[in-house]
Amino acid sequence: MIGAPDMAFPKLNAAAFWLVPVFAVLLMASFFVPGGPAQAGWWSYPPVSIQNPLGHFFNGQQLWLLAVALSGISSIFGAINFVTTIIRMRAPGMGFFKMPLYCWTAWGAQTIQLIGLPALTGGAIMLLFDLSFGTSFFKPEGGGDPVLYQHFFWFYSHPAVYVMVLPVFGIFSEVFTCYSRKPLFGYKFVALASFGIVFLSLIVWAHHMFYTGTPNWMRILFMFTTMTIAVPTGVKVFAWVATLWRGKLRLTTPMLFCLGGLVNFIFAGITGVMLGTVPIDIHVGNTYFVVAHFHYVIFNAIVLGVFAAVYHWFPKFTGHMYYEGLGKLHFALTFIGCTLNWLPLHWAGLLGMPRRVASYDPEFAIWNVIASVGAFLLGVAAIPFILNMVSSWARGPKAPPNPWGAIGLEWLLPSPPPAENFEDDVPTVLNNPYGYGLDQPQVADEAFYVRRAQEA
Amino acid sequence: MTSSDPSVQLDHTPGHIKHDGHNLTGFVIFLCSESIIFLAFFAGFSLFKLTSPEWLPAGVDGLEVKMPLINTIVLVSSSFVAYFAERYLHKGNLWGFRIVWFITMLMGAYFVYGQYVEWSSLKFGLDSGVFGGTFYLLTGFHGLHVITGIGLMGLMLFHSFRPGNYEKGDMGVTSVSLFWHFVDVIWIILFFLIYVWQRY
C-alpha cells in the first residue's frame, strides 16, 4: 500500500512473530504446574491474582504473567516495525496526506501499543513481584493499593480495543470508496480523526472503574473524556455515510460486510455513550449489557470488517477469485447470527442479568435462548466461509491484477504480488488513492504499471 | 522520511542498502516506549508516597544522600564524556574515541558499584512495605538499564576494532549513546523522587 519492498526490520518482524509460540507454550504449560492455571480472569485484579494457596514458587498465575509480559514485548517489536516502516519507507511523493487510510489507522493503532503496553507491563511486573517476591505494591496490609493495578491495567486494556477497531476503520474507508465509486468525503479529517482517537483513548481508562471506589471528580472527568471520543469517531461515521450518499453502489461481499459492520458499529457506539455515563454505568456495570456492548464492537463491527478485508484483498493475496454466491451466503448468515446473538443480551443486561455466572434466573431464559440460536447460526456461517476460501484458493478463477477497479498501489501489481513488490521500480505517487470518478491518476506513468501488471 | 516532493530520491530502494536511518528511527521509537514503563513506576511511587499511611518501614528514618549524590554526579558527567567520545569518532580519531568511550564505561561501572555498596548497607528489604518495594524496583530496574548500557558500549568498543566498521555510518554508537543519555535522564528524575523528595 505504501510501495515498500518489505518491513523496515525484517528480522525484528520474525522475532516478534516467533515469540508467539514461545509465550503460547509458556501459557499452556500453566495447566500442568501444581495448583493449575491462573484463576483470576483476564483482569487479574489483586487480591485474587496474588493468592498462592499452595505456596509453590512456580505457579499458574506467575506463568500467565510472564506470558503476558512476553506477548507485550512481541507487540512492541511489531509496533516499532510498523511505525518506522510507515514513517520512512513510503513511495516517492507519498506525503502523509496521500497515504491510504488503512496505513493511517494502522499507524494510530501501533502508536497506542507503544504508549499503552509498557504501562501494562509495568503493572504486570509489580504484580509478579507481589506474587513471587513478597513486595506489597497492591496489598493494603503493606501500605499498597489494589486500585493502582486497575489503573495500570485499564490504561492499556481500554485503548487495546481501539488497537483492534482502528484498522477496521481503515478497511471501511478503503472498501466504501471502492464500491461506491466516490472519493472519500473529508479525507484529511478522517485521517486526523485517527490520531484524535489515539489521543482520547489514552485518557478514558477510568470509565472501567466507576464502581470500584473511584472518587467523584474522577468519575465526572472520565465520563467527560469518554463522551468526547464519540466526536472523532462520529467524524469518521459521517464521512463514510457521505461517501456512500448518491454513490454508484456495488453490493459485493466486502461491501455488504462493511455496511453490516458500520450499522453494528453505530449501534455499539450509542450503547458506548450510554455506558460512559456514570449513573447508567453504575446501574448496568457487570451485567450482560456490558457484554453485549463489547461484542457489538468486537464481533459485530470488527470481525465483520475483517471479513470484508479478507474478501476484498483475497484476489490480491491468492491470485484467485472467490465465489460471490458463497460469500453473500456467508454474509447473510453472519449478520443474522450476530444480531440474534448479541441484540437480546442488551435486554437481559438491562433487566439485571449479571455476567460471569454459571447459571441464571428463569426470567432471563428467553433472551438467552435467542442468543444461543444466534450463536449456532454463527457456527453454521463458518461453513460457507471455509468452503469458499479453500475451494477458491485451490481452483477459483484466476484473478486479474485489479478485479474491483480499485485505486491503490497494491492494485498496480500482479495478483499475487512478487516478493518485493515493486522492487527497483517504485511508482511516484501524485494523489491520494481515493480519486474515484475524478479522472486523476494516482501515480505518474500509471499506464505503464497497469500494463506491466497485466503482462506478468 | 519520505518527502511529499516527488523529485526527492528514496534512501531504501532498490534492495535494502541504507538502513542506518531506519535503525535510528526505530530506536528512538523504542526509547519513547521504554520511558512509559518508567513513567508508570514513577506514577506508582508518587501515589504511594502521597497516600500511604505508613511510608517508611519501622526502624528506618530516611535514606543517606551523600553517596547517591556522588553517584549522580558521576553518571551525569559520564553522559558528557560519551558525547565527547562521539565527537572524536566523527572527527575520525579512532583511538580518541576508544579511550574516551572506555572512560564512559568505567564511570558507568563505578555507578553500579556505588549502587551495590548502598544496597548492601540498607536496613530494609524488598518486602519492607511499599517503601522497600518501590525503592528496590525503581533503582533495580534502572540499574539493569545501566548494566545493559555498559554491555552495549562494550559491544560497540569491540566492533570498533573491526576493519571498515564505520563505512556504512556509526548508527550503533549514536544509538547506544542516546540510550546512555536516556538512562541518565531517568536517573535524575529518580534521584529527585527518591532522595530529594524525602526531605519534604
Side-chain angles (χ1 to χ4, degrees):
Chain A
M1 292 184 121
I2 60 169
D6 198 343
M7 299 295 286
F9 312 112
K11 284 178 194 161
L12 192 68
N13 215 16
F17 178 77
W18 288 109
L19 267 175
V20 176
V22 173
F23 65 73
V25 168
L26 201 61
L27 193 61
M28 290 304 146
S30 70
F31 281 87
F32 302 103
V33 295
Q39 289 167 11
W42 83 283
W43 288 354
S44 263
Y45 278 0
V48 182
S49 54
I50 47 181
Q51 307 299 322
N52 187 5
L54 295 184
H56 292 291
F57 182 74
F58 292 105
N59 54 63
Q61 188 67 41
Q62 190 189 39
L63 293 177
W64 186 90
L65 280 170
L66 285 174
V68 167
L70 271 183
S71 76
I73 291 169
S74 154
S75 302
I76 289 175
F77 282 174
I80 292 172
N81 215 341
F82 274 110
V83 174
T84 311
T85 309
I86 290 172
I87 292 180
R88 297 197 58 99
M89 294 182 68
R90 282 165 290 127
M94 187 186 273
F96 286 123
F97 286 110
K98 287 175 189 165
M99 224 167 38
L101 268 177
Y102 183 78
C103 301
W104 269 99
T105 51
W107 186 13
Q110 299 306 321
T111 308
I112 294 179
Q113 297 274 52
L114 286 171
I115 300 172
L117 267 172
L120 176 73
T121 311
I125 292 173
M126 290 163 94
L127 198 61
L128 189 66
F129 270 67
D130 268 10
L131 179 71
S132 302
F133 303 110
T135 53
S136 45
F137 299 119
F138 306 128
K139 294 177 194 155
E141 63 271 27
D145 183 2
V147 178
L148 180 67
Y149 173 79
Q150 302 184 7
H151 283 289
F152 284 139
F153 178 79
W154 287 114
F155 183 74
Y156 171 68
S157 297
H158 185 77
V161 201
Y162 294 89
V163 173
M164 294 179 234
V165 82
L166 272 170
V168 173
F169 290 169
I171 293 166
F172 283 174
S173 310
E174 303 289 328
V175 169
F176 284 144
T177 49
C178 173
Y179 297 101
S180 58
R181 314 308 296 168
K182 273 182 66 193
L184 184 66
F185 185 87
Y187 168 87
K188 274 192 186 179
F189 288 96
V190 179
L192 289 176
S194 313
F195 275 85
I197 292 173
V198 170
F199 172 72
L200 288 172
S201 77
L202 295 169
I203 51 170
V204 299
W205 76 90
H207 66 219
H208 291 270
M209 298 159 58
F210 282 159
Y211 45 82
T212 49
T214 35
N216 230 348
W217 64 265
M218 200 185 264
R219 291 178 178 175
I220 302 295
L221 182 71
F222 279 90
M223 176 168 86
F224 178 74
T225 55
T226 303
M227 289 188 164
T228 48
I229 210 159
V231 175
T233 13
V235 166
K236 290 194 175 220
V237 168
F238 282 114
W240 294 323
V241 173
T243 306
L244 292 167
W245 187 253
R246 293 193 171 168
K248 208 169 139 192
L249 303 191
R250 284 184 294 169
L251 294 177
T252 55
T253 309
M255 182 63 157
L256 285 173
F257 268 108
C258 275
L259 287 171
L262 178 63
V263 170
N264 286 337
F265 179 73
I266 294 170
F267 189 90
I270 293 168
T271 55
V273 174
M274 286 170 74
L275 281 171
T277 321
V278 176
I280 298 181
D281 186 68
I282 288 174
H283 176 64
V284 298
N286 259 327
T287 69
Y288 260 75
F289 193 75
V290 178
V291 178
H293 160 74
F294 174 79
H295 285 86
Y296 248 78
V297 184
I298 292 290
F299 191 91
N300 298 15
I302 294 179
V303 175
L304 261 63
V306 172
F307 278 138
V310 168
Y311 284 106
H312 183 62
W313 280 286
F314 185 82
K316 185 50 68 186
F317 292 152
T318 63
H320 295 281
M321 299 301 286
Y322 62 85
Y323 299 111
E324 196 64 51
L326 279 177
K328 283 189 173 135
L329 179 67
H330 175 213
F331 167 73
L333 288 174
T334 308
F335 190 76
I336 299 170
C338 70
T339 307
L340 281 184
N341 194 346
W342 299 112
L343 197 60
L345 293 180
H346 286 96
W347 284 283
L350 282 179
L351 291 171
M353 177 175 164
R355 63 170 168 174
R356 292 173 181 162
V357 286
S359 181
Y360 50 79
D361 197 274
E363 68 166 307
F364 307 125
I366 177 68
W367 308 119
N368 282 279
V369 170
I370 300 174
S372 302
V373 172
F376 279 110
L377 208 56
L378 279 180
V380 174
I383 298 170
F385 175 62
I386 295 170
L387 199 67
N388 200 355
M389 292 294 112
V390 173
S391 63
S392 337
W393 200 333
R395 27 171 230 183
K398 202 170 162 8
N402 190 359
W404 315 123
I407 304 178
L409 292 183
E410 74 270 31
W411 304 107
L412 295 175
L413 288 165
S415 308
E420 295 227 317
N421 297 332
F422 292 99
E423 289 165 354
D424 301 356
D425 217 351
V426 185
T428 300
V429 175
L430 304 174
N431 289 301
N432 76 38
Y434 303 107
Y436 293 99
L438 294 184
D439 208 23
Q440 62 181 21
Q442 190 209 354
V443 301
D445 208 6
E446 198 162 283
F448 161 74
Y449 290 101
V450 171
R451 198 174 60 244
R452 192 176 68 164
Q454 275 161 353
E455 283 164 2
Chain B
M1 173 102 69
T2 308
S3 160
S4 55
D5 177 5
S7 62
V8 175
Q9 276 297 305
L10 284 187
D11 61 356
H12 59 81
T13 42
H16 309 256
I17 298 167
K18 273 176 75 181
H19 262 326
D20 261 23
H22 300 343
N23 289 347
L24 200 59
T25 310
F27 197 75
V28 170
I29 294 170
F30 166 75
L31 284 186
C32 293
S33 187
E34 184 78 355
S35 65
I36 308 275
I37 293 199
F38 280 105
L39 277 183
F41 288 157
F42 291 157
F45 177 89
S46 313
L47 195 87
F48 287 141
K49 171 110 167 71
L50 290 172
T51 60
S52 184
E54 291 161 56
W55 175 239
L56 292 173
V60 179
D61 47 321
L63 290 159
E64 171 65 38
V65 181
K66 208 174 105 198
M67 178 84 183
L69 187 64
I70 298 171
N71 246 346
T72 309
I73 294 167
V74 170
L75 193 69
V76 172
S77 27
S78 78
S79 238
F80 291 95
V81 179
Y83 169 72
F84 284 116
E86 246 189 302
R87 286 251 302 242
Y88 274 124
L89 187 63
H90 287 306
K91 283 187 198 149
N93 182 348
L94 256 185
W95 273 106
F97 161 72
R98 283 172 191 146
I99 291 166
V100 180
W101 194 245
F102 188 67
I103 294 173
T104 319
M105 284 172 67
L106 286 182
M107 291 167 90
Y110 175 81
F111 177 85
V112 176
Y113 170 74
Q115 281 290 68
Y116 165 76
V117 172
E118 197 202 347
W119 275 23
S120 39
S121 73
L122 291 175
K123 284 201 265 331
F124 56 90
L126 191 61
D127 49 3
S128 314
V130 272
F131 176 77
T134 46
F135 175 82
Y136 284 106
L137 183 75
L138 278 170
T139 51
F141 197 61
H142 177 267
L144 273 182
H145 279 74
V146 177
I147 293 169
T148 312
I150 297 170
L152 288 173
M153 282 201 256
L155 194 69
M156 290 304 122
L157 191 64
F158 178 70
H159 279 182
S160 76
F161 288 99
R162 290 198 307 208
N165 187 42
Y166 299 111
E167 272 164 16
K168 285 197 278 176
D170 49 10
M171 172 270 162
V173 173
T174 315
S175 306
V176 173
S177 130
L178 210 59
F179 182 76
W180 197 248
H181 299 319
F182 166 78
V183 169
D184 202 7
V185 170
I186 294 290
W187 177 259
I188 294 173
I189 302 172
L190 220 156
F191 181 75
F192 274 93
L193 275 183
I194 294 185
Y195 295 97
V196 179
W197 193 10
Q198 62 171 334
R199 300 269 171 250
Y200 301 98

